[in-house]
Amino acid sequence: MEWLSAENIVAVGTAVIGVVASAVMVWYERRVPRRKRIGYRVQMDNPIGDDVRSGRANVRLGLFDETPGMMDATLVLLRIENDGSQSIAGDDYTSRERHGLTAVFTDRTIRGVSVTQPPGTDHLMDHFTPAAGLSYENGVLRIPRVPLNRGEHFKLLVLLSGGDVGREIRLIGGLRDGEVSPNRSTTPDDQPPLFSRAARLITVLLTACVVTLALIVVLRDDSRPPIGCEKGTLTVTGSTAFAPVMSELAKKYEQDCEGADIVVDAHGSTAGVRELGEAGAKSAKGAPPVVALSDGPKPSGFPQLRENRVAVSVFALVVNDDLPVRNLSLADVRRLYRGEIKNWKQLGGPDRQVFLVSRDANSGTRQVFQRRVLGRGEIANSSLDCVHKDDVTAPVVRCELDSTEQVLSTVAGLPGAIGYSELNLATGYKGLHQLTLDGHTASVEDLEHGTSSYPYREIEYAYTYGQPPADSLASSFLTYISRGNGQDVIRTHGHLPCGTPVGLKICGTN
């Protein structure tokens, strides 16, 4: 094994960078705490009455002994500070009330409040007015939206009665892009400790992981056989749902194989298969440099096309987030797409019109939906803008769009809309959520573990015109897809590779 190989140099460099990054993290944690943060702590909680169960004797003289209602009085000093790395403005507080924070003194009643601030921060006092929200009632103290520069603080001296010292004192409130939490200092009025226990643990673990990873890479003998790189140009067309996978695979192949140029031009499974058939018919030199991806088997009429089973794809039905519907039976889905259900209240949902957002006729995602879920074709298109009927006789609004991204965007922005998509593209998309079918969840993991009866899934096929030559870019690229790196990419995009043991079984029986 060559110790000074580029891979080992990169591995050692990565370890060095990891250690440096850990050191930077230590410095950052100590010098620059969280971005926006209000910290608070109780600096004093003392009895001044003679009926406070504090566990120690108390001596009173003068006013404390003469004022009525002071038999069980206590005095609390509460420090509130900006211990983050950014200034806090009045509109950073997230409270819907006039005040910004609320201090709760458990089992005690507030008798009076005094506000103090350090030298040089006299401007803070202008914010402590009843008009700004300063008030108290029983054991609750409302604190105004006080702007605090980094490191600034103020203190509240609170006179209380009716409870013991040491009872819980909480500061409640929120900050935009920040937090309110208790802190502490090693000595009175010191800055709180900035290097947290969690940060220490993360730093140690990060350093250990990076160094271990570097040692594994350096010490192992990982000489992989060549993949048979080929030069030339290749067009990958077809499925838009599988296009992100093919784009990443094409980029990785080009990086590994100098002289290869792979263009991904996806515009629907059926359109891609037809394009491949036409290119093959016109080619006078055998198989053209085109690979067509299809969600499911190719349509009839293309006997020259040779199939390669690549992966199992899972698809999902999605609805706009304004609909509380989470599960539909197959029977209800079929009624929806026959136009028999015009309002979601017919399915126990809100009084909301149904909008069907579908893919165009070239879409493999649509064909899988029709084949695996509906058992028939969808009803006719009735709208160009997905909102208004162009055909007033149509039972519901139904539109057709050119890509999965357009379907997701339209469903997310149209209350009452339902559509379908490849699972990975729909996962985490804002404004919509996925539906289960007859209680079965769309899940690649469940499919791989053999515990899924989810119906909306299909094999992803890669078609070539006849058998491409062994030394062609098309043949080499298809081999690359089915090997280790290619399978890893397929998995990261939420598909199950057909080349795995479980994938071979599923792809061979469907």
Side-chain angles (χ1 to χ4, degrees), residues 47-326:
I48 57 174
D50 60 1
D51 192 27
V52 180
R53 293 181 297 276
S54 61
R56 59 184 182 275
N58 182 50
V59 177
R60 298 179 296 114
L61 184 66
L63 182 64
F64 287 158
D65 193 36
E66 299 166 0
T67 304
M70 299 295 287
M71 297 296 294
D72 58 353
T74 54
L75 203 59
V76 169
L77 182 63
L78 181 65
R79 175 187 172 112
I80 300 174
E81 59 193 346
N82 178 354
D83 61 0
S85 62
Q86 292 187 12
S87 297
I88 297 172
D91 58 2
D92 284 330
Y93 294 87
T94 59
S95 170
R96 294 186 177 182
E97 306 293 336
R98 282 186 304 168
H99 63 278
L101 301 172
T102 302
V104 179
F105 299 84
T106 304
D107 296 333
R108 288 190 265 187
T109 301
I110 300 174
R111 298 297 185 184
V113 179
S114 176
V115 182
T116 64
Q117 82 287 333
T121 58
D122 294 341
H123 59 282
L124 297 181
M125 299 302 291
D126 296 335
H127 297 278
F128 291 94
T129 64
L134 179 64
S135 64
Y136 64 83
E137 182 179 5
N138 298 325
V140 176
L141 171 61
R142 300 174 185 89
I143 305 169
R145 299 169 177 262
V146 182
L148 292 171
N149 293 325
R150 179 181 174 186
E152 285 186 345
H153 75 274
F154 59 88
K155 298 183 181 182
L156 300 171
L157 186 62
V158 186
L159 178 63
L160 304 116
S161 65
D164 302 335
V165 298
R167 300 306 299 267
E168 182 184 22
I169 299 173
R170 292 178 295 134
L171 191 66
I172 302 172
L175 293 176
R176 184 178 58 205
D177 296 328
E179 64 176 359
V180 177
S181 61
N183 63 19
R184 60 179 181 173
S185 62
T186 54
T187 58
D189 291 334
D190 272 354
Q191 290 294 322
L194 300 181
F195 189 37
S196 65
R197 181 180 180 183
R200 291 197 299 270
L201 180 60
I202 291 173
T203 301
V204 172
L205 290 177
L206 175 62
T207 303
C209 289
V210 172
V211 172
T212 302
L213 176 62
L215 290 174
I216 291 174
V217 173
V218 170
L219 296 178
R220 72 180 179 180
D221 187 0
D222 194 22
S223 301
R224 292 179 296 176
I227 62 171
C229 290
E230 298 293 342
K231 298 180 179 180
T233 60
L234 177 67
T235 298
V236 179
T237 185
S239 169
T240 59
F242 211 69
V245 183
M246 301 311 294
S247 296
E248 184 171 345
L249 285 168
K251 184 180 297 184
K252 287 182 176 296
Y253 185 94
E254 289 173 345
Q255 292 173 350
D256 292 341
C257 300
E258 185 178 354
D261 181 17
I262 303 175
V263 177
V264 178
D265 181 22
H267 41 269
S269 296
T270 301
V273 168
R274 289 173 178 167
E275 180 181 335
L276 174 61
E278 293 172 0
K282 294 177 182 179
S283 177
K285 300 180 180 179
V290 178
V291 173
L293 275 295
S294 176
D295 304 329
K298 63 180 174 63
S300 59
F302 297 93
Q304 304 91 344
L305 302 192
R306 181 180 180 274
E307 71 178 34
N308 299 267
R309 301 190 177 198
V310 176
V312 181
S313 296
V314 178
F315 303 85
L317 277 168
V318 294
V319 296
N320 185 276
D321 269 343
D322 80 319
L323 295 173
V325 179
R326 298 289 173 177

Side-chain angles (χ1 to χ4, degrees), residues 430-457:
K430 293 183 178 179
L432 54 80
H433 59 269
Q434 301 170 24
L435 297 177
T436 58
L437 296 177
D438 283 329
H440 299 298
T441 302
S443 170
V444 176
E445 289 78 12
D446 291 347
L447 178 65
E448 189 168 5
H449 294 154
T451 60
S452 175
S453 298
Y454 184 77
Y456 194 9
R457 71 190 197 201

Side-chain angles (χ1 to χ4, degrees), residues 348-363:
D351 184 6
R352 181 78 70 184
Q353 181 182 353
V354 170
F355 296 91
L356 304 179
V357 183
S358 299
R359 286 292 310 278
D360 59 272
N362 289 323
S363 166

Side-chain angles (χ1 to χ4, degrees), residues 9-21 207 210-215:
I9 292 175
V10 170
V12 174
T14 303
V16 172
I17 292 173
V19 173
V20 173
T207 303
V210 172
V211 172
T212 302
L213 176 62
L215 290 174

